[in-house]
Amino acid sequence: MAKNTAPKAPENAETGSARSTGPRQRRSVRREAAVNAAFQLAEREGPAGLTMRKLAQELDVDVSILYRLFRDKDALVLALCERTIEIELDEIGDVPEEETWQDTLRRIADITWAYQNRFPAITLLSFARTTGGPAEQRMVELLLSTFERAGLPPTQTVLFYRTFIDTALGLCAHSASLSSLAPEDREKDDSAWTRVYSHLSERHYPATVRHIDDLTTVTQKAIYTAAVEAILSAAEHAVTEHLETERTTRSERTDKA
Amino acid sequence: MAKNTAPKAPENAETGSARSTGPRQRRSVRREAAVNAAFQLAEREGPAGLTMRKLAQELDVDVSILYRLFRDKDALVLALCERTIEIELDEIGDVPEEETWQDTLRRIADITWAYQNRFPAITLLSFARTTGGPAEQRMVELLLSTFERAGLPPTQTVLFYRTFIDTALGLCAHSASLSSLAPEDREKDDSAWTRVYSHLSERHYPATVRHIDDLTTVTQKAIYTAAVEAILSAAEHAVTEHLETERTTRSERTDKA
DNA sequence: ACCTGAACACCGTTCAAGT
DNA sequence: ACCTGAACACCGTTCAAGT
């Protein structure tokens, strides 16, 4: 799968301008058709292209119709966010019995990276939002139960779950932001390291000069992986500490008795 | 300091409408005055309020004047980002001799959190950008030289530096995004945990139900701290591994000789 | 009852026309 | 030479008027 999950492709989703050709039962557009079209629009034109007007045009209806499907643009964005999580859950599938909690989280992190970067426009608009919808609910349950398998104390289970997901989405948003800059801004950003940082004086910026090669080659994905691994390790260590505290407490209690 | 660093307050910066009262040497606005006014605007009205038109109005000039000071809005945003880093560097000050590299990074993380959250509008617009300016250069040098003090191999020094700063800014942007939602969206987001997640069935969402109390009370700052500590620990462990590898390699070489 | 499209109050950006 | 403000091509959102 993976290749074309987003558009479950309703009536005329594949052709950009499906104005007079298709069958004419496209009166009163359904929410799902709007969401699908929004995904295509977002993928094709980036965050600046995802507007209510263009979406209406894509669906060949007046823009005011959209406002009966979604209270406002924010509601549309939340629906897109929900759908993204749905796709990710689909791709994650069932968690195999023998998979460690670490590997489950690594797999979730990879899939999240893939889809959040495939739709940078949606990521940027929703990475810090809570939808409260069914897909998000299932994702929360999946992540929490996975962190529970680690054997952390309750407060830490929640703290690490939130640290994991917020960090992951924050770094996805970082990457999405870069990949959806206007071409010229993009160039300005990309070239900064070679354009300005390669020419700093060794006298005033010795560390920068020493590391210039690595600075120009490190990738956002490598950074993402490093952050995810750091959080997994931290969770592992918290488990170890927790077990040690428990053992100590128990032996103290035994001592008393 | 800390309280009022941003507005170095030029002529009539304190009053909102300084139209006809002040002295009239405000012809031909200087870049710095524009940046200061933009900070006030951003702090007062949030990301939606930071527009070229409103900024011009604040400065009591025509909007087209701004376009001689800044090529476009992106250039203004980068200038604001530079200024933010300047303020943070100021606050960080000199690194005491006896401060460990971990504590230096903790201090930088705290100050970054404070200022990025004080100006959420600017954070959201610039958290993933590279300015290439002098303040950013000094910040890069400071962070790189601090990570060098840890004793990591070169590639890892850069990887951890980038993981540290990108994660920090990503989480600041997350927090900034929440704090600058429109009041009603804000409410919707805030209440999601109590409104929807407290009422899930224990049958289908057991882990969520088990942790509902912690889910509603964990703060963004706690998550930020947990992420920073995870990355510091990961860097510490990478150092240990590196030292062990070096020792092994050296003893192998000794064995051969 | 549903749909339409014009209108409102905004954006970033540019440029001919003024001084 | 500098400044002005009107204009262009957009936004999200609403609502009277049509069918």
Side-chain angles (χ1 to χ4, degrees), chain A residues 242-255:
Chain A
H242 181 229
L243 291 180
E244 269 167 20
T245 312
E246 271 204 330
R247 214 183 33 203
T248 314
T249 315
R250 198 157 5 150
S251 76
E252 268 169 13
R253 247 191 265 129
T254 316
D255 286 356

Side-chain angles (χ1 to χ4, degrees), chain A residues 22 38 48 69 71-72 92 94 98 117 122 155 159 173 179 189 192 194 208 220 228-229 239 244-245 252 257:
Chain A
L69 301 173
R71 195 168 34 69
D72 51 22
I92 292 164
D94 290 327
E98 71 280 8
N117 276 284
I122 296 165
T155 308
L159 181 62
S179 71
D189 227 278
T194 53
T208 306
Q220 286 300 133
V228 167
E229 291 299 327
V239 171
E244 269 167 20
T245 312
E252 268 169 13

Side-chain angles (χ1 to χ4, degrees), chain B residues 233-250:
Chain B
S233 292
E236 284 172 14
H237 283 96
V239 171
T240 312
E241 271 176 34
H242 180 228
L243 290 181
E244 270 168 20
T245 313
E246 271 204 331
R247 215 181 33 203
T248 314
T249 314
R250 196 153 9 144

Side-chain angles (χ1 to χ4, degrees), chain A residues 19-39:
Chain A
R19 81 192 36 209
S20 51
T21 87
R24 44 56 186 95
Q25 29 65 291
R26 70 175 93 76
R27 273 306 77 117
S28 144
V29 188
R30 284 150 326 304
R31 262 178 81 100
E32 188 171 350
V35 167
N36 288 331
F39 263 89

Side-chain angles (χ1 to χ4, degrees), chain B residues 201-238:
Chain B
S201 87
E202 193 175 343
R203 182 152 163 57
H204 296 102
Y205 302 91
T208 307
V209 171
R210 266 195 292 281
H211 293 95
I212 190 63
D213 288 346
D214 291 316
L215 283 169
T216 56
T217 53
V218 65
T219 65
Q220 287 300 133
K221 182 66 193 291
I223 291 162
Y224 182 75
T225 303
V228 166
E229 290 300 327
I231 291 164
L232 294 187
S233 292
E236 284 172 14
H237 283 96

Side-chain angles (χ1 to χ4, degrees), chain B:
Chain B
M1 60 170 313
K3 216 48 189 307
N4 235 346
T5 2
K8 260 167 207 161
E11 40 272 46
N12 36 41
E14 70 287 349
T15 100
S17 74
R19 205 141 298 244
S20 51
T21 87
R24 46 46 189 105
Q25 31 63 294
R26 67 174 95 75
R27 275 307 78 117
S28 144
V29 188
R30 285 157 317 310
R31 258 178 85 99
E32 188 172 350
V35 168
N36 287 332
F39 264 88
Q40 298 179 245
L41 203 55
E43 192 170 20
R44 199 170 70 235
E45 308 203 5
L50 185 54
T51 74
M52 298 299 267
R53 279 177 153 93
K54 281 189 182 161
L55 180 54
Q57 198 182 320
E58 190 90 351
L59 291 161
D60 200 20
V61 298
D62 187 87
V63 61
S64 60
I65 300 261
L66 287 180
Y67 284 86
R68 230 165 326 104
L69 301 174
F70 305 96
R71 196 167 34 69
D72 51 23
K73 196 187 176 183
D74 190 62
L76 168 66
V77 165
L78 291 184
L80 296 175
C81 185
E82 265 289 302
R83 170 64 70 85
T84 307
I85 299 172
E86 246 173 55
I87 296 169
E88 289 165 359
L89 282 169
D90 246 40
E91 183 87 6
I92 292 164
D94 290 326
V95 175
E97 282 277 354
E98 71 280 9
E99 195 174 50
T100 64
W101 60 271
Q102 291 96 329
D103 282 342
T104 303
L105 292 172
R106 286 189 185 104
R107 210 154 53 78
I108 295 174
D110 276 346
I111 290 167
T112 300
W113 176 265
Y115 285 100
Q116 299 296 330
N117 276 284
R118 177 152 166 226
F119 305 109
I122 296 165
T123 300
L124 277 176
L125 291 169
S126 68
F127 79 103
R129 303 302 306 278
T130 305
T131 70
E136 191 187 60
Q137 290 168 15
R138 285 197 290 147
M139 184 63 96
V140 169
E141 178 68 18
L142 172 59
L143 285 169
L144 271 179
S145 61
T146 306
F147 273 104
E148 273 190 340
R149 281 161 57 203
L152 289 159
T155 307
Q156 300 243 50
T157 302
V158 167
L159 181 62
F160 276 106
Y161 146 63
R162 285 294 301 269
T163 305
F164 176 85
I165 193 65
D166 287 8
T167 300
L169 291 178
L171 290 174
C172 286
H174 188 125
S175 175
S177 171
L178 291 179
S179 71
S180 57
L181 284 178
E184 45 148 334
D185 293 339
R186 174 77 155 126
E187 160 57 21
K188 220 169 40 179
D189 226 278
D190 263 349
S191 64
W193 293 105
T194 53
R195 192 169 36 79
V196 356
Y197 283 93
S198 321
H199 299 86
L200 293 184
S201 87
E202 193 175 343
R203 182 152 163 57
H204 296 102
Y205 302 91
T208 307
V209 171
R210 266 195 292 281
H211 293 95
I212 190 63
D213 288 346
D214 291 316
L215 283 169
T216 56
T217 53
V218 65
T219 65
Q220 287 300 133
K221 182 66 193 291
I223 291 162
Y224 182 75
T225 303
V228 166
E229 290 300 327
I231 291 164
L232 294 187
S233 292
E236 284 172 14
H237 283 96
V239 171
T240 312
E241 271 176 34
H242 180 228
L243 290 181
E244 270 168 20
T245 313
E246 271 204 331
R247 215 181 33 203
T248 314
T249 314
R250 196 153 9 144
S251 75
E252 267 169 13
R253 247 191 264 128
T254 316
D255 287 355
K256 263 196 187 160

Side-chain angles (χ1 to χ4, degrees), chain A residues 58-112:
Chain A
E58 191 89 351
L59 292 161
D60 200 19
V61 298
D62 187 88
V63 62
S64 60
I65 300 262
L66 287 179
Y67 284 88
R68 232 169 319 106
L69 301 173
F70 305 96
R71 195 168 34 69
D72 51 22
K73 196 188 177 183
D74 189 64
L76 169 66
V77 165
L78 291 185
L80 296 175
C81 186
E82 266 288 302
R83 170 65 69 84
T84 307
I85 299 172
E86 246 173 54
I87 296 169
E88 289 165 0
L89 283 169
D90 247 41
E91 183 86 5
I92 292 164
D94 290 327
V95 176
E97 281 277 353
E98 71 280 8
E99 194 175 52
T100 64
W101 60 271
Q102 291 95 329
D103 281 343
T104 303
L105 292 172
R106 285 189 186 103
R107 210 153 55 78
I108 295 174
D110 275 347
I111 290 167
T112 300

